[in-house]
Amino acid sequence: MMNEKWSIPPFLMKTGRPMEYIVRWPVIPGMTMFLRRPHAGPGSSPGTAHSGADQGVRRVAGARACPVSGTPAGCGARTAPAAAHALPTGRLALAAALGLASTAAILQLPGWPWPARLSLLAALACLIAWTVLRWADTPVAVAACLALVGLQVVSPLTLAATVVDPLLWLMAGAFVLSAALRLSGVAERLLRLGLGADGQRFDSLCGRLTLLIAATAFVIPSTSARAALLLPLCLGLMPHLSPAQARALALLCPTVILLSAGGVLTGAGAHLVTLDFVRTQGGPAWHWLDWLRLAGPFALGSCALATAVILRAVPPAERRQRVTVATPLAAPAAPTPWTHAQRPVAAIAALAVLGWATGATLGLQPAAVAVIAALAVLTGGTGLQPGRVLRQVEWRLLLFMAASQVLGEALLTSGAASALAAQALNGLALSQAAPGTLYALAAVVAVLAHGVVPSRTARAVVLLPTVVLPLAATGLNPALLAMLVVQGTGFCQTLSASAKPVAVFARVPGGFTPADLLRLASVLAPALVLWLLVHALWVWPALGLR
């Protein structure tokens, strides 16, 4: 496969913005991948040969071309085959059986008020829909919220208050800013410059790439969008690497994307769910810089740990081998001038990050900084079309985050979470366990939860009341436990379907196989559990979480 020299087609490079062309598969709505391979020989099979009409561009099966997309939300409807939407009878029967059993068990709980029963039933129904039926996260969460409003468990005022929640506006503004960075080409330009000089050692290139990927979390909150941004970079490097190096690069990109997201408050929607949970439990109101101080070292250390694990699978001679990248993605010999759109967008992004970092000192709310930056991008003479920028915003993810907050608040205010925590405390005899054992239990559950709940935000919604509250009842700090759990949910690299960035890079020719993912997970998962324990027992208490 490596001898076929897959690369970015030249017509993408002529546009000056190849990052706008990304990958699309049935699991990732709105993403399209174009791959070019040299002319097929006479012996090529029908599946690999191409007619002159396609001009050397092959489309992945089931994909649809999208001329303008920069994120998964920007390319229209899903094009998965109709058969993919048909649910097996066995899965439907299992979901029905679990639903009936859960309903019967909840109705028999002694002393539970009806709002608590209905809240728990709604949460379990969402969990069954997400895991057994594999339905989309957003419609399920929204339907559960509307059902709770109709059953008068959640008031309409609570639902309306979620729409104006500052955390939601923080993410919305960050999405607009990240869309402007990609559409203007600023993100691509910084990535190319960050690669440094040509002819680096492969291990040095991976280390530099790790830092670059981690840095994108500050301005691009969506892991899917970061995967779309980095995919052309990976494709441009692959033809110049050996098979072992190519496999390592394909594993490195999604792994660092997912692990680095935990270090920034806007890096994942699960962080905002955690922030709201900690606040309702009487914990500290973490600011953007507070989150960076607590979670940044853990995320950066996780990325370094993952990079070291991945490089260990590359032969030592190939780790030291110098890589020559003779593609347009390599840093140019002479710097090209910034365009009319790039200069203001880069300045607005720099000021936004500065505002988030110094907001606590200056009295600026992160949401206000994000909204001002978004308005500046849309109306500040950047040359970008506002409609095109807004189409790149992941509105479904924002809606899912709002619905997740309503579900979490329903579990807390109805008394379902506290009652469930009390029963778990009594049934499992958690009060007799040592703190280290309890931290280890929480870390293992958080790291392995991606095998059951695919969405990171959904994992936070499920684990915060069911894991943090019972363990906090033993006397542990709920804020520390929440931080431990949400950082543990960042690990989701066991299967290609576990996370969208992994699915994106799983289709890169000459990349990794499912067996490679399992080997990486078998080493990285225990290492991350130990890294979580180090922070829970020593690092985070030293930083104020006692």
Side-chain angles (χ1 to χ4, degrees):
M1 180 69 71
M2 292 306 302
N3 294 329
E4 296 176 352
K5 301 294 184 185
W6 292 71
S7 62
I8 306 275
F11 78 90
L12 296 188
M13 308 312 305
K14 293 178 182 178
T15 64
R17 289 200 292 256
M19 297 296 178
E20 294 183 7
Y21 294 82
I22 54 177
V23 182
R24 178 186 190 119
W25 292 289
V27 295
I28 306 175
M31 300 182 72
T32 306
M33 182 170 99
F34 292 92
L35 295 174
R36 180 179 181 273
R37 60 197 284 170
H39 173 71
S44 302
S45 65
T48 60
H50 302 280
S51 64
D54 66 7
Q55 298 180 0
V57 177
R58 192 191 71 164
R59 186 180 302 168
V60 176
R64 181 172 62 86
C66 175
V68 297
S69 173
T71 64
C75 284
R78 177 187 306 255
T79 59
H85 298 282
L87 286 173
T89 305
R91 192 181 300 170
L92 289 172
L94 177 60
L98 290 175
L100 291 174
S102 302
T103 303
I106 291 174
L107 292 178
Q108 294 178 3
L109 291 173
W112 279 48
W114 273 106
R117 297 175 191 266
L118 293 175
S119 298
L120 183 58
L121 185 60
L124 289 176
C126 289
L127 187 60
I128 292 172
W130 290 332
T131 57
V132 179
L133 300 178
R134 298 178 185 175
W135 286 353
D137 300 333
T138 302
V140 171
V142 171
C145 289
L146 295 178
L148 291 176
V149 172
L151 295 171
Q152 299 183 352
V153 176
V154 175
S155 68
L157 292 178
T158 302
L159 194 62
T162 306
V163 179
V164 296
D165 191 301
L167 300 178
L168 203 63
W169 284 95
L170 169 63
M171 290 299 294
F175 276 132
V176 172
L177 183 60
S178 73
L181 286 168
R182 295 193 309 278
L183 291 177
S184 64
V186 172
E188 173 195 349
R189 184 187 184 100
L190 295 178
L191 275 176
R192 286 189 297 165
L193 293 176
L195 280 179
D198 200 7
Q200 300 178 70
R201 285 176 35 153
F202 179 71
D203 52 3
S204 300
L205 178 65
C206 288
R208 187 184 293 269
L209 191 58
T210 297
L211 294 176
L212 280 174
I213 297 174
T216 60
F218 285 89
V219 289
I220 302 179
S222 169
T223 55
S224 301
R226 294 166 68 199
L229 177 69
L230 289 161
L231 180 67
L233 180 68
C234 178
L235 291 175
L237 290 171
M238 293 291 273
H240 308 279
L241 304 177
S242 69
Q245 291 172 336
R247 180 171 55 251
L249 180 67
L251 286 171
L252 179 74
C253 290
T255 301
V256 176
I257 286 172
L258 293 168
L259 295 179
S260 62
V264 185
L265 180 58
T266 55
H271 302 167
L272 305 187
V273 176
T274 304
L275 215 64
D276 188 66
F277 174 83
V278 172
R279 187 173 53 192
T280 57
Q281 295 301 306
W286 288 325
H287 201 270
W288 189 88
L289 198 59
D290 296 325
W291 189 279
L292 182 62
R293 178 176 59 88
L294 292 170
F298 175 83
L300 193 59
S302 300
C303 294
L305 185 64
T307 302
V309 171
I310 292 171
L311 284 176
R312 289 288 296 175
V314 180
E318 295 187 15
R319 274 182 249 154
R320 297 188 296 268
Q321 180 181 350
R322 297 191 178 276
V323 179
T324 301
V325 183
T327 71
L329 288 174
T336 56
W338 290 71
T339 65
H340 172 71
Q342 289 175 347
R343 283 191 295 268
V345 169
I348 292 170
L351 290 174
V353 174
L354 182 63
W356 288 330
T358 61
T361 304
L362 301 177
L364 297 175
Q365 294 297 322
V369 174
V371 171
I372 293 173
L375 292 176
V377 164
L378 296 174
T379 62
T382 59
L384 298 176
Q385 298 178 4
R388 188 182 180 192
V389 173
L390 292 175
R391 282 195 297 270
Q392 310 306 310
V393 177
E394 297 194 29
W395 299 108
R396 289 186 179 182
L397 178 57
L398 292 173
L399 185 60
F400 176 63
M401 288 166 51
S404 299
Q405 288 188 10
V406 174
L407 287 173
E409 188 170 347
L411 287 171
L412 293 172
T413 57
S414 66
S418 58
L420 192 64
Q423 289 196 353
L425 187 65
N426 296 330
L428 300 178
L430 297 177
S431 58
Q432 307 299 324
T437 303
L438 298 178
Y439 288 140
L441 175 63
V444 170
V445 171
V447 167
L448 298 181
H450 70 279
V452 180
V453 184
S455 167
R456 186 172 187 168
T457 304
R459 290 198 293 275
V461 172
V462 172
L463 295 180
L464 289 175
T466 58
V467 174
V468 172
L469 287 184
L471 299 182
T474 64
L476 299 180
N477 187 342
L480 190 152
L481 286 168
M483 178 62 72
L484 184 149
V485 166
V486 76
Q487 293 301 324
T489 58
F491 176 81
C492 41
Q493 291 97 321
T494 303
L495 302 171
S496 60
S498 299
K500 291 178 182 178
V502 182
V504 169
F505 286 92
R507 301 297 183 93
V508 171
F512 56 81
T513 65
D516 295 325
L517 274 179
L518 289 175
R519 279 192 292 269
L520 174 62
S522 65
V523 178
L524 190 56
L528 285 180
V529 169
L530 292 177
W531 189 234
L532 283 169
L533 287 178
V534 168
H535 280 72
L537 293 173
W538 295 291
V539 178
W540 287 329
L543 294 175
L545 286 181
R546 301 184 181 277

